[in-house]
């Protein structure tokens, strides 16, 4: 089974029905998969902090949300994570492509990669790093954990997890 | 009229509705004028009231009124295309356009010069956009509620703030009682 489908299946199985996305090349497959699911309302956002606002509202309206974004967006969303998601104590699974890690072809991506885990740690955000395809097996438990504790939770998914960049 | 005078006038209309209110003095004013469990006060995160309200409107059927500000919409302009393309007919975005960053001391925003938020909302694809003067807010808001169509209201008014206490309620309490009101 593809990891894209596995991730979408786990989201649906955990009642996640409202997903916002800002694309990354690594996330193209999973975004396409989510867009096709009848059980998930997919609402693309223009910036990740906007997307977190949408998720906060959807959760207060009774839906379980998730955001899919690139790790560079940690730089965009720190204020929103601290003053909205954490301050009001809201659950938010964040499926994050971890650009700038092993097998990365674009040098500039490394510049945010070196800050990603430190920023998440500074924010006390529970953080998981998927490096091998089998790591996806933990996704279901991470979703349950997120909605148990009402916190933002980061799932960093690197190029190796997604199968690399081929010949690039 | 300044924002607080508008809020006083429309408080009876807002009372029974789900309201998401903009950061800073707008929330302090609404809280002081007529605190309700159906009010969600933003204590931080400038710019996201319209997004929170849209997520809420898309997730459940009750009408949602967002009280936003010109400065906050300008800082999250990406919200307008998202609103336009994800139509929720239970969603009203009411932008109090006082041409200034009121909460921080009335520094002018660009809407007091060449920029039209109504024009930007229309260009983003919002179909039901009305620009009204402060004195007509109540009438226009009631019409938007009765119309049952997604509406963006731009309310042109004077810059200025009423002196109100800061909100000391715990954010989790604000959020929890709001969620109970949403679900009831
Ligand atoms: C990221 C960020 N920058 C600046 C501020 C400071 N700030 C708080 S409220 C506000 C003004 C908001 O203006 P507007 O939305 O027009 O509302 P008004 O008070 O005028 O009704 C500003 C600049 C902030 N809270 N967050
Ligand atoms: Mg203003």
């Amino acid at each position: 089974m593809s990891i894209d489908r596995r991730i979408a299946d786990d989201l649906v199985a955990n009642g996640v029905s409202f997903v916002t996305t800002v694309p990354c090349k690594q996330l193209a497959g999973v975004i396409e998969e989510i867009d096709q699911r009848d059980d998930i309302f997919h609402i693309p956002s223009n910036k990740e902090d906007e997307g977190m606002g949408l998720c906060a509202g959807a959760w207060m309206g009774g839906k379980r949300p998730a955001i899919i974004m690139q790790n560079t967006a940690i730089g965009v969303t720190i204020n929103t994570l601290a003053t909205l998601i954490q301050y009001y104590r809201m659950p938010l699974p964040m499926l994050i492509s971890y650009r700038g890690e092993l097998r990365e072809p674009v040098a500039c991506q490394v510049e945010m990669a070196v800050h990603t885990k430190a920023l998440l740690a500074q924010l006390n955000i529970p953080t998981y790093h998927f490096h091998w395809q089998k790591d996806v097996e933990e996704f279901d438990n991470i979703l349950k954990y997120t909605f148990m504790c009402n916190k933002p939770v980061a799932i960093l998914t690197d190029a190796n997890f997604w199968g690399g960049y081929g010949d690039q | 009229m300044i924002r607080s005078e508008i809020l006083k006038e429309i408080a009876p209309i807002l009372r029974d509705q789900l309201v998401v209110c903009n950061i800073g003095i707008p929330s302090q004013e609404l809280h002081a004028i007529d605190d309700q469990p159906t009010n969600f006060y933003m204590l931080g995160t400038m710019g996201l009231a319209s997004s929170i309200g849209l997520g809420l409107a898309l997730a459940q059927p009750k009408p949602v009124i967002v009280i936003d500000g010109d400065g906050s919409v300008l800082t999250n302009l990406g919200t307008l295309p998202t609103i336009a393309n994800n139509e929720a007919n239970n969603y009203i975005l009411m932008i109090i356009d006082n041409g200034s960053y009121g909460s921080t001391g009335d520094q002018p925003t660009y809407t007091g010069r060449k920029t039209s938020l109504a024009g930007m909302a229309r260009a983003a694809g919002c179909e039901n956009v009305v620009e009204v003067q402060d004195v007509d807010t109540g009438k226009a808001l009631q019409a938007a509620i009765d119309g049952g169509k997604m509406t963006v209201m731009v309310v042109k008014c004077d810059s200025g703030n009423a002196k109100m206490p800061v909100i000391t309620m715990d954010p989790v309490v604000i959020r929890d009682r709001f969620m109970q009101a949403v679900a009831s």
Side-chain angles (χ1 to χ4, degrees):
Chain A
M1 181 188 273
S2 81
I3 44 179
D4 298 331
R5 253 183 299 147
R6 170 69 185 258
I7 287 168
D9 285 349
D10 285 348
L11 287 169
V12 171
N14 282 277
V16 174
S17 59
F18 186 101
V19 177
T20 190
T21 62
V22 177
C24 167
K25 194 172 175 181
Q26 281 180 13
L27 300 168
V30 73
I31 291 172
E32 197 184 327
E33 182 69 33
I34 272 153
D35 198 56
Q36 287 166 6
R37 295 291 176 118
D38 293 335
D39 299 331
I40 295 176
F41 178 70
H42 174 213
I43 178 165
S45 43
N46 297 307
K47 212 170 180 185
E48 296 80 357
D49 54 348
E50 181 208 353
M52 289 185 183
L54 293 167
C55 287
W59 185 64
M60 291 195 289
K63 297 250 190 286
R64 284 186 163 192
I67 188 165
I68 299 181
M69 64 187 203
Q70 194 176 85
N71 63 317
T72 48
I74 296 298
V76 175
T77 56
I78 286 187
N79 178 47
T80 303
L81 284 164
T83 66
L84 180 66
I85 305 299
Q86 291 182 323
Y87 196 46
Y88 290 87
R89 199 159 341 128
M90 299 176 173
L92 184 63
M94 304 185 287
L95 183 70
I96 302 169
S97 61
Y98 195 4
R99 297 297 305 266
E101 261 291 324
L102 298 183
R103 299 176 75 177
E104 171 65 56
V106 180
C108 185
Q109 295 288 1
V110 180
E111 298 304 314
M112 273 309 284
V114 299
H115 299 298
T116 297
K117 283 185 174 175
L119 290 169
L120 290 165
Q122 178 63 40
L123 287 164
N124 293 335
I125 291 177
T127 299
Y128 300 87
H129 180 169
F130 289 0
H131 180 63
W132 304 107
Q133 292 224 343
K134 68 169 173 39
D135 294 339
V136 78
E137 286 166 23
E138 230 164 20
F139 190 54
D140 175 63
N141 273 331
I142 294 169
L143 290 173
K144 290 183 167 61
Y145 176 81
T146 306
F147 292 104
M148 174 275 295
C149 63
N150 285 353
K151 288 181 188 297
V153 173
I155 305 115
L156 299 171
T157 55
D158 65 25
N160 196 68
F161 172 76
W162 294 107
Y165 281 90
D167 293 332
Q168 265 188 53
Chain B
M1 291 171 86
I2 60 170
R3 182 195 330 92
S4 65
E5 295 169 315
I6 295 171
L7 292 178
K8 258 185 214 136
E9 203 165 286
I10 64 172
I13 304 174
L14 296 176
R15 186 162 300 144
D16 300 320
Q17 307 285 342
L18 299 178
V19 176
V20 177
C21 190
N22 190 22
I23 179 179
I25 297 179
S27 273
Q28 291 171 16
E29 289 175 350
L30 181 64
H31 173 260
I33 291 165
D34 190 23
D35 180 37
Q36 293 290 331
T38 45
N39 294 346
F40 181 76
Y41 305 113
M42 290 191 65
L43 303 172
T45 340
M46 175 178 166
L48 293 190
S50 60
S51 307
I52 295 169
L54 180 64
L56 178 64
L58 290 166
Q60 56 79 55
K62 289 183 182 172
V64 175
I65 299 169
V66 175
I67 300 173
D68 216 334
D70 50 315
S72 297
V73 172
L74 287 173
T75 209
N76 181 25
L77 274 179
T79 192
L80 295 174
T82 306
I83 291 166
N85 289 282
N86 295 277
E87 202 151 301
N89 284 325
N90 56 342
Y91 180 76
I92 298 169
L93 173 59
M94 183 173 76
I95 306 166
I96 305 282
D97 184 359
N98 53 9
S100 75
Y101 297 103
S103 284
T104 47
D106 298 320
Q107 299 87 352
T109 68
Y110 289 122
T111 67
R113 290 167 66 182
K114 291 184 177 177
T115 303
S116 158
L117 283 175
M120 294 183 91
R122 285 191 196 102
C126 297
E127 282 161 10
N128 212 18
V129 181
V130 287
E131 186 169 297
V132 298
Q133 279 304 317
D134 42 19
V135 289
D136 300 319
T137 311
K139 218 168 25 173
L141 178 59
Q142 192 59 55
I145 295 168
D146 297 341
K149 277 229 161 343
M150 185 157 99
T151 305
V152 177
M153 283 173 63
V154 180
V155 177
K156 299 297 266 184
C157 67
D158 298 322
S159 190
N161 307 290
K163 194 125 197 72
M164 303 290 190
V166 295
I167 299 172
T168 55
M169 217 184 315
D170 190 275
V172 182
V173 173
I174 294 173
R175 189 267 284 162
D176 189 60
R177 68 174 198 163
F178 183 72
M179 285 178 75
Q180 287 182 33
V182 171
S184 74

